[in-house]
Amino acid sequence: MCGIVGYVGNKKCRGFIIDGLKRLEYRGYDSAGFSCFAQSDYLESVKEVGSVKKLEQSLEKKSCDGFCGIGHTRWATHGVASQANAHPHFDCNRKIAVVHNGIIEGFEKIRNELIKLGHNFVSQTDTEVVPHLFEELLKEFELKDALKELVKKLDGAYSFVILNKDYEDRLILVRKKSPLVVGLSEEENFVASDFLAFSDKTQNVVFLPDESITVLRKDKIEIFDFSGNKLNVEAQKIDHKFNDVSKQGFEHYMLKEIYEQKQAINKTISFFSLIENLWGQLGLTTEQVKKLKKINLIAAGTSWHACRIAQFFIEKYCKIPAQIYLASEFRYMPFFRQDDSIFIFVSQSGETADSLEALRLVKSFGVPTIALTNVVSSTMVREADGYLHMQAGPEISVASTKAFSTQLASLFWLSNKIAEQKSLMTDVEMKKAENDLFIAAEILESSIENYKVKITGQLAPFYSKYEKFIFLGRHISYPFSMEAALKLKEISYIFAQCYPAGELKHGPIALIDEKTPIVLFSVLDELIYQKIVSNAQEVKARNGHLLVFAFEGQEELINLADNCFILPRVNPMLVPLAMTGLMQFFVYQITKLLGCPIDKPRNLAKSVTVE
Ligand code: M6R
């Protein structure tokens, strides 16, 4: 979603800002803009709908550059993607420019009041109230007091960077909930919504505290709380660099990431098993782990599906209940504090606004919080009591693939580790669990190879003609069917509905017709497998078209299918992990035939940083 990059120093800033914006591009955006102090009496700016590349070309034509500037990539929330709505936004005299991430809640009221006072608005955005309000406040207050008044009037979660023509030597940074990080260097300083934007310039960073105002000059940083009290915040060293991830010959990042899964899982599990003080890193004592009575997991989207599957791991191995929450719903439900429980927040990016808000809520009740993420420098890792860092490597395609499978592997491993600590499992069984994971990762990859030709040549052309699908699963394969349906919807725009197979006869069976293929995911639990066979028969009895993901030896099911994938048998808990590669590859090939922009589906962003 939106990205902020800013610079103040003794070099021209345009090149750095464009480069920084390019590093944040993969998060998703629809327009981009730049502004700086140049020679004129007002702030110069260029904005473009579309890519940062387009912005760069327009800036070259205008030779717009300076020693202090800001840039932004916008993902539309208030108002369509247009030049007028792109950031930066300005006051009436074009002396104040603002780039903003997040949402200003209740901005309409402020906007109407400012319009009554004679302010001229040119966009539909919530952001534009900030420069106009600041302009108004500066008529009455000096800079610092105007900023204090400004934040008093703004609700929501936001971070913004302000240029003010009367103070050409500085950037003003304001942060409430949305992240902002400063990079410190010799005679130049940087700011961005993500440290990756400047990670090749400096490793010396200050993560700005929540509810803070910062004045950043080329050789000085001053941080205040919202009441104007000075804060002393230590800089820290981060040894994490931006890897310029290329497609390495693959046609899309998604395909490359599908093929990276086995390695990502193996690397993650090997990495976890070498952590010396696992419970300490998770913010827990061994006593706390032994006494655990409940594990809660909170996430969004694909990460939530991984948690839904992990519920089966926790309840089987740790023999305690697991409760899974959608982050976007959790905050609005009553909170029942329970002793001897923990909350695990699962997020590829560690920046998902809904998940972060849920984390803050749980923390306020004093219950232990753990982040499981793929980005160690993320807000979630900083704010949680403990963390586990998956080793999936950068995931660029908006559709989560290797993050999902690595989350499954991580949660399976952690459930077994907790069980071992609770003396429910021996170290030999723990080793076997790790080995089962490596086997499932191997099957995830080899099954793609086995069916590659059939999918590309036959199945994808056949199924890409359908306009809607029903996905069915039971027990551990039901949440997996949710993930399959999401994957198909988000990249191919084909409508897909998932149901627990046992619910078919309670309503959705009415939808079965020749226009709607049914995709059924099997399991390896013998009792549930028999129920799945019955569900397949229900479909066939109504002349439904059945595509089945089955396992070796499941002849009854295989014989009912119109088309079938047959996978080697695995630990029954790892059925979803084993089926993941094939499911993703199948969806990828359908989407490719439809000509959709696979890595950047319409309307979506990689990092969902607004609620
Ligand atoms: O970074 P997170 O794992 O917190 O992201 C959560 C969802 O936004 C994400 O999984 C989303 O659903 C993906 N587009 C799925 O492919």
Side-chain angles (χ1 to χ4, degrees), residues 254 258 301-302 305 397-401 404 455 459-472 479-498 515-521 547 549 565 580-602 604:
M254 183 177 177
I258 287 173
T302 287
H305 297 149
S397 184
V398 164
S400 189
T401 53
F404 172 69
I455 290 176
L459 298 178
F462 176 77
Y463 287 103
S464 62
K465 297 197 174 69
Y466 287 95
E467 286 175 4
K468 51 187 167 40
F469 281 76
I470 294 177
F471 286 79
L472 299 176
F480 182 74
S481 75
M482 292 176 170
E483 172 58 9
L486 173 65
K487 219 74 312 163
L488 185 67
K489 277 184 283 208
E490 72 176 330
I491 65 167
S492 74
Y493 318 145
I494 296 174
F495 183 76
Q497 177 72 58
C498 59
K515 292 192 204 131
T516 316
I518 312 288
V519 184
L520 178 60
F521 298 101
L547 168 64
F549 283 65
F565 298 115
T580 293
L582 207 48
M583 175 276 282
Q584 294 164 343
F585 187 80
F586 174 64
V587 168
Y588 168 84
Q589 291 298 345
I590 289 178
T591 309
K592 197 175 139 189
L593 284 176
L594 295 174
C596 302
I598 293 184
D599 286 331
K600 289 185 181 169
R602 68 181 178 211
L604 291 180

Side-chain angles (χ1 to χ4, degrees), residues 441-549:
E442 179 66 42
I443 291 171
L444 178 158
E445 188 172 288
S446 62
S447 58
I448 303 176
E449 282 316 293
N450 293 345
Y451 283 100
K452 197 168 153 180
V453 175
K454 191 172 178 190
I455 290 176
T456 39
Q458 198 185 322
L459 298 178
F462 176 77
Y463 287 103
S464 62
K465 297 197 174 69
Y466 287 95
E467 286 175 4
K468 51 187 167 40
F469 281 76
I470 294 177
F471 286 79
L472 299 176
R474 249 190 125 117
H475 193 252
I476 202 163
S477 74
Y478 168 55
F480 182 74
S481 75
M482 292 176 170
E483 172 58 9
L486 173 65
K487 219 74 312 163
L488 185 67
K489 277 184 283 208
E490 72 176 330
I491 65 167
S492 74
Y493 318 145
I494 296 174
F495 183 76
Q497 177 72 58
C498 59
Y499 276 105
E503 282 298 294
L504 204 56
K505 55 190 167 300
H506 297 291
I509 202 159
L511 295 171
I512 294 176
D513 62 16
E514 71 289 354
K515 292 192 204 131
T516 316
I518 312 288
V519 184
L520 178 60
F521 298 101
S522 188
V523 295
L524 277 167
D525 176 290
E526 200 42 45
L527 180 69
I528 295 153
Y529 165 66
Q530 286 307 330
K531 306 280 176 205
I532 286 184
V533 171
S534 305
N535 299 137
Q537 270 155 349
E538 287 160 12
V539 173
K540 288 315 296 173
R542 281 148 192 92
N543 294 321
H545 177 94
L546 199 57
L547 168 64
V548 163
F549 283 65

